[in-house]
Amino acid sequence: MAQTCSKLESNAVVVGIDVSKDHLDAAQYPDGDQIQTANNVKGLRALLRWIGRQQAVQVVFEATGPFHRQLESQLAKASIPFSRINPRHARKFAEATGKLAKTDRVDAMMLARMGHFLNPGRLRSAASSSLRYRNWQLHDEI
């Protein structure tokens, strides 16, 4: 699941996914292909097939509480490298690039661009350490 290179090649394909309760909007960078599926088992199957056809080397999505968990689980099962990022970081990236239009498709493309231009390993590490910290907090409370 882990990607070992620290920098993506310039032609590397990254998929950004905007996750909501009802649907998943995905966009591929650099070509801009997009798809929308339902956020359920059938939709996830269709999304994973689409990601496979894109030959993506990385998938980037925001942590969205309970709505991203099934996506994350299915990506892990399919051994597709992914980065679950803090929504605040995604917002800051959008502000820095001047892409503040707030639609699901625009957000998906922004996440793909973020994954392409920033170090995806670093994004994944940040998510992992955040998860370890939360697990530590839960363990400490028990």
Side-chain angles (χ1 to χ4, degrees), residues 24-142:
L24 304 165
D25 282 276
Q28 183 260 78
Y29 185 87
D31 292 339
D33 293 343
Q34 296 186 335
I35 187 174
Q36 183 182 71
T37 67
N39 192 357
N40 59 29
V41 174
K42 185 177 177 182
L44 280 168
R45 269 192 247 125
L47 179 62
L48 290 175
R49 282 192 303 272
W50 182 81
I51 290 170
R53 286 192 302 271
Q54 301 300 316
Q55 299 178 348
V57 298
Q58 183 77 9
V59 172
V60 179
F61 59 92
E62 294 176 327
T64 56
F67 305 126
H68 77 268
R69 291 185 185 134
Q70 192 173 17
L71 168 66
E72 185 171 330
S73 173
Q74 293 302 311
L75 290 169
K77 284 180 186 176
S79 297
I80 298 171
F82 63 88
S83 295
R84 176 177 33 92
I85 61 168
N86 184 319
R88 188 172 14 137
H89 298 163
R91 176 76 177 162
K92 294 288 185 184
F93 179 83
E95 288 173 0
T97 59
K99 304 287 185 194
L100 293 176
K102 189 69 182 143
T103 69
D104 296 340
R105 285 184 169 187
V106 170
D107 285 350
M109 183 55 72
M110 181 273 305
L111 289 165
R113 292 179 70 220
M114 182 178 182
H116 180 82
F117 289 110
L118 300 182
N119 184 334
R122 186 175 299 153
L123 293 172
R124 187 172 36 257
S125 296
S128 296
S129 62
S130 173
L131 182 61
R132 281 195 303 269
Y133 178 71
R134 269 186 272 134
N135 287 340
W136 172 76
Q137 283 181 320
L138 290 172
H139 179 69
D140 195 42
E141 291 173 2
I142 294 176

Side-chain angles (χ1 to χ4, degrees), residues 4-43:
T4 57
C5 63
S6 61
K7 185 176 180 184
L8 290 177
E9 297 177 21
S10 62
N11 62 347
V13 174
V14 179
V15 170
I17 301 175
D18 184 74
V19 179
S20 70
K21 178 181 177 182
D22 297 323
H23 60 271
L24 304 165
D25 282 276
Q28 183 260 78
Y29 185 87
D31 292 339
D33 293 343
Q34 296 186 335
I35 187 174
Q36 183 182 71
T37 67
N39 192 357
N40 59 29
V41 174
K42 185 177 177 182

